Amino acid sequence: VEDIGFAPCLSASWYAAAEGLRCHGGFTALVESDITKHEAAILGLVKKHGCTQLIFTGHSLAGGMAQLGNFVVSGRMLQPTSPWYEVKDALEIRTVAYASPVAIQEVTANKDAATKAFVEDVASRSCNIIAEQDLVPRLGTGLTFTDDFMEDVVPAIAGSKIPASLYWILDGKDRVDSVYEGAKDAPFVKQFWQAGGRMRYPGTIIAYKDAAAEPVLLVDKGNDGTKPGELAHYEYIKLEKKRKGLLRWAASSAVGRGGSSYEYLEDPITREVDLHDLGIFGLQYDN
């Protein structure tokens, strides 16, 4: 868990206000470093231009950092010794993230009132704009979605040409067939899901089915949040495919499960890339 920066951690920036809050360790470390380094310059510009809002934004991993930026600065604003304390009544901190992965650990009912109040306040000033079927925003919080995605996509990847950048993750085509089934019960992966499965979005999720669809406002209640208005209510939609024989090759036979084989009509990697980029490119002013 620690090797990929997923370990939930505390921060001196918010601990006095919310000692029960744990956030994504990798995001927290990077944000703490950047804000500490550039704090004087940022506050100088805020005061020079009379800014009333400071908005953290970013796409994908940078979206996760944008979520943490809100927590870090909001926490520092409550500390009388922090330079941010001087602008706490004049400057509103907000987050607009795109296709961000989860950033904070679930705030359960038994958490202290101060932690819950702090998280609710930051959440009221945060949103994450996602494509409904994008895998990245579901990692951790959507365990069923992730499992369905991998069950569907691994056979298609096993029979296709994999971009070189993915070999670093998948360790080559020969291992794709078993990388998911063979690894998902491994001790390291179980630790990953134990930590990741408790991660949540702190604010409103704005989900688009496609570029032409009306947005749906959602909240993240984890894997069990399957009611309308909750993220997990929107289940994974399988790749479009036809039975073998209609086209030239079949991907699902590569996993050795036997039975009928299928030809995939959608490239799973292209679909995921397009979905992951939907928010950041589809909502640009010139599109």
Side-chain angles (χ1 to χ4, degrees), residues 22-24 27 64 67-68 100-105 199-202:
R22 270 90 172 149
C23 293
H24 187 293
F27 294 153
Q67 293 185 59
L68 262 298
S100 167
V102 288
I104 76 167
Q105 196 171 68
M199 302 298 281
R200 300 287 182 266
Y201 291 107

Side-chain angles (χ1 to χ4, degrees), residues 81-103:
T81 57
S82 170
W84 292 96
Y85 187 80
E86 300 176 17
V87 297
K88 68 182 181 66
D89 296 323
L91 185 67
E92 181 184 45
I93 310 301
R94 302 191 69 87
T95 294
V96 179
Y98 295 87
S100 167
V102 288

Side-chain angles (χ1 to χ4, degrees), residues 45-79:
L45 290 171
V46 166
K47 294 174 182 178
K48 177 181 178 180
H49 297 287
C51 297
T52 58
Q53 282 191 339
L54 176 63
I55 302 174
F56 289 97
T57 189
H59 175 248
S60 195
L61 294 176
M65 294 177 67
Q67 293 185 59
L68 262 298
N70 199 333
F71 281 98
V72 168
V73 172
S74 294
R76 293 187 183 190
M77 281 182 160
L78 299 176
Q79 301 174 4

Side-chain angles (χ1 to χ4, degrees), residues 80-278:
T81 57
S82 170
W84 292 96
Y85 187 80
E86 300 176 17
V87 297
K88 68 182 181 66
D89 296 323
L91 185 67
E92 181 184 45
I93 310 301
R94 302 191 69 87
T95 294
V96 179
Y98 295 87
S100 167
V102 288
I104 76 167
Q105 196 171 68
E106 180 182 17
V107 178
T108 56
N110 62 354
K111 291 290 185 180
D112 62 280
T115 294
K116 288 189 282 189
F118 179 74
V119 171
E120 287 174 3
D121 176 50
V122 174
S124 71
R125 298 180 274 108
S126 303
C127 70
N128 186 21
I129 300 170
I130 72 169
E132 177 196 306
Q133 292 293 303
D134 182 8
L135 174 65
V136 173
R138 304 296 191 108
L139 291 171
T141 188
L143 303 182
T144 299
F145 185 98
T146 303
D147 198 55
D148 291 344
F149 177 96
M150 296 301 292
E151 291 281 359
D152 192 35
V153 168
V154 166
I157 295 176
S160 64
K161 183 179 179 180
I162 304 173
S165 60
L166 287 183
Y167 273 86
W168 185 84
I169 300 172
L170 298 177
D171 199 19
K173 179 179 179 299
D174 292 340
R175 293 188 58 189
V176 176
D177 297 358
S178 59
V179 68
Y180 181 63
E181 287 298 333
K184 68 178 182 179
D185 293 324
F188 169 80
V189 177
K190 286 183 177 180
Q191 291 177 354
F192 173 88
W193 288 124
Q194 286 172 356
R198 295 178 60 196
M199 302 298 281
R200 300 287 182 266
Y201 291 107
T204 301
I205 299 167
I206 304 174
Y208 286 82
K209 191 173 186 64
D210 54 52
E214 291 294 320
V216 178
L217 303 184
L218 306 173
V219 294
D220 183 10
K221 297 293 185 181
N223 202 54
D224 297 326
T226 56
K227 298 177 182 177
E230 297 174 342
L231 179 60
H233 175 73
Y234 294 85
E235 300 176 344
Y236 174 71
I237 298 173
K238 289 184 176 292
L239 290 163
E240 185 180 359
K241 54 191 176 183
K242 290 185 178 180
R243 287 190 179 278
K244 184 180 178 182
L246 295 178
L247 295 173
R248 295 189 64 181
W249 61 269
S252 63
S253 59
V255 295
R257 294 179 179 173
S260 299
S261 296
Y262 293 88
E263 174 73 33
Y264 285 84
L265 303 181
E266 298 176 273
D267 175 57
I269 298 173
T270 298
R271 184 174 84 160
E272 172 56 25
V273 169
D274 289 345
L275 288 169
H276 192 53
D277 288 344
L278 176 66

